[in-house]
Structure formats: C-alpha cells, structure tokens
C-alpha cells in the first residue's frame, strides 16, 4: 500500500524525538512534517533540536524544515501529538476539524466522553466511538489518545484479570526521570534520592484504567466498576517505570491462576508493525522484572510482570517513553489503519 503521510507536533521535545525514531523507517507511514513552536519554525531540524537519543538521527530528517503547529502548514494525513497539554487543548481539535487523524500522547482529551483512550490490546473496540465523535463535533478528522505512561504499565496486565472480577487496585509507582523530560528533574534533586510526588500523576492513574477497561455500548463508554488508589514516586532510573500492584478480585484467584491468565493472554490484534510478539512477558525469577534488564523487551513495547504472589500482588515494568508514550501512539495509528479509519 502507499505510505500514509505523517506529521509530528512538538517534534523537538523528548517524546517528539521518540516519535521520529519510531516513524523514520516505518513500513506504513512516511514522515512528511515536523512541527514545533515559533522559535523552531523555519529552521532545519538539526538546528532546532538537540538530538537526545542513542539512535542516529537520519540525515534526511535532520535536513527537514520545521514548520509551525498549524494545520495549514503541516502536510499530513495523521499527526502524532507530543504537545504540552495546555497547547493541545486548542491545537488537536483544530487538526481534527481540518480533516487530520490525531494520535495524541497528551492528557488533554483522554477523559473526554467521545474520545477513545486506547491500549490496542485492551480495548480496540472503543474505536467505534469515533463515529459518535465525528457526528457530534462535525469533524472530518478525529482524535484518539493513549493513556498516561504509568497507567499503561499496569492496565495491560489487569486486562486478563478482568474475568476474575476486579474490585480494587492499589499501585505504588517508581518512575524513571525521563518521564519528566530531559530537563524535567535536576540531577541534584534526584541523585541518591526518591521524590514522593509527581504533580497530577496519581489523579490520572486512579481514573484512566476504568475507562480503558470499560465497554462501549454503541453511544458511550461505560467505565469498569473498580477503584484504584495510587502513590507515585520519581526514582533515579533513566528509563523504565516499575510498579508494585495489589489487586482484590471477586473470584479470589490463586497466584498460579493469575500467572496462567497472563501467559495465555492473546489480544487478537494480528500483525501490526509496532506490536510485540508478546504484550505481556511473565518473569519467574525472584528478582525480576527490573527496568535496566527488561525495559527493551519487545523493542520497548512489551510489559514485563513478575513476583506474582498471594494477595494478589505483582511487579510490572515497561519503557515509559516507548510503550508509555510514542510507541503507544504509533501502535494506535496502526490499529486505525487496520480498522480502515486511515
């Protein structure tokens, strides 16, 4: 098939660079526009952005001219948004109204009733609400979102446990510094330290999974009926969020039943370029998973789970800027293609 033209909004930032990394040689998408703030617009990308990733910035992308974050200047059929939440509030609807598909990594519209909040392995059927969204808003395009990076890491392992009747979840997160951006946490604040507060994080973690694991009734998404209590912490790890999870379930499954449910989990997505062979990887070693050893499983798109104990308690980890951000949006876009929406 002919490649679909793709643009990145907020292309110079940390997540924007992850989008470029994931799209630069994508089999379905062609990176045609890089958009950023007025101070970057008009410059070659290599002049506008300091490349922070270990992978090489391709010369052809480095020579692309950055444009303004404006539908009239961005040449794309789909845009991947890594904008600040405040900017996204007005920009993302403008692109959708102009006929673009918007795959957003920002928090601005995640909890809006007619916007799908997607983890493809968990709720691909929620894409059906796009028809409702377009009719309600009169958009030629549409808006989709992926969850908060912390939310993704434990919501995906919860999906195969829904059959046991989840009643409540407790989460303690140990979040990598890259989640705050390259200059988000000063080194003197985090080295040898743990910061027991991340602004707005706990509120997102306590509300997003119920929407993701809910069901679409043809008109709206009905949230799943369980409670979440979260405590979120920043730790001196570069990449990879680690989370300790406690789950109370109606059917009171054994640790072995939980382990087997995770091992048997098959989201039934078929072949998508960014989708890992195993969305969930169960580790049986007593000291796994660990961010340094497990964050790049499935090219950074798998969630690793271990220490499944009576209670039910377990540990999960995933790469926060790949699975938890840019990779999640790209996987959502691939699902849009498969569903015939792009």
């Amino acid at each position: 098939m002919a490649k679909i033209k793709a643009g990145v909004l907020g292309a110079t930032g940390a997540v924007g660079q992850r989008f470029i990394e994931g799209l630069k040689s994508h089999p379905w998408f062609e990176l045609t526009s890089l958009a950023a703030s007025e101070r970057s617009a008009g410059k070659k990308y290599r002049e506008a952005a300091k490349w922070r990733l270990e992978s090489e910035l391709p010369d052809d992308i480095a020579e692309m001219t950055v444009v303004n974050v404006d539908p009239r200047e961005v040449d794309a059929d789909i845009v991947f948004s890594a904008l600040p939440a405040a900017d996204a509030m007005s920009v993302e609807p403008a692109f959708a109204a102009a006929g673009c598909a918007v795959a957003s990594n920002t928090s601005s519209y995640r909890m809006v009733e007619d916007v799908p909040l997607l983890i493809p392995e968990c709720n691909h059927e929620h894409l059906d609400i796009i028809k409702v969204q377009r009719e309600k808003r009169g958009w030629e395009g549409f808006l989709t979102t992926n969850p908060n990076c912390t939310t993704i890491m434990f919501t995906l392992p919860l999906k195969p446990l829904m059959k046991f009747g989840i009643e409540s979840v407790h989460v303690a997160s140990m979040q990598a510094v890259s989640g705050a951006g390259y200059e988000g946490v000063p080194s003197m604040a985090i080295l040898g330290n743990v910061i027991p507060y991340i602004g707005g994080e706990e509120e997102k973690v306590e509300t997003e999974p119920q929407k993701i694991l809910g069901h679409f009734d043809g008109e709206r998404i009905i949230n799943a009926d369980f409670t979440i209590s979260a405590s979120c912490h920043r730790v001196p790890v570069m990449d990879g969020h680690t989370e300790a999870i406690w789950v109370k379930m109606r059917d009171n499954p054994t640790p072995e039943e939980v382990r087997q449910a995770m091992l048997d989990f098959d989201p039934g997505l078929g072949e998508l370029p960014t989708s890992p062979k195993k969305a969930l990887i169960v580790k049986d070693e007593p000291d796994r998973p660990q961010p340094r050893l497990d964050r790049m499983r499935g090219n950074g798109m798998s969630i690793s789970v271990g220490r499944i104990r009576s209670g039910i308690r377990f540990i999960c980890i995933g790469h926060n800027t790949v699975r938890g951000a840019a990779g999640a949006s790209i996987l959502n876009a691939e699902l849009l293609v498969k569903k015939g929406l792009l």
Side-chain angles (χ1 to χ4, degrees), residues 8-17 35-37 69 80-84:
V8 177
L9 311 182
T12 57
V15 175
Q17 293 185 19
S37 65
V69 183
F80 295 89
S81 176
L83 294 170

Side-chain angles (χ1 to χ4, degrees), residues 154 170-174 242-246 309 313-316:
F154 76 95
H170 288 75
V171 183
S173 73
M174 292 149 275
T242 303
E243 298 166 23
I245 313 296
W246 293 256
R309 293 157 286 157
R313 300 164 286 166
F314 60 85
I315 304 296
C316 60

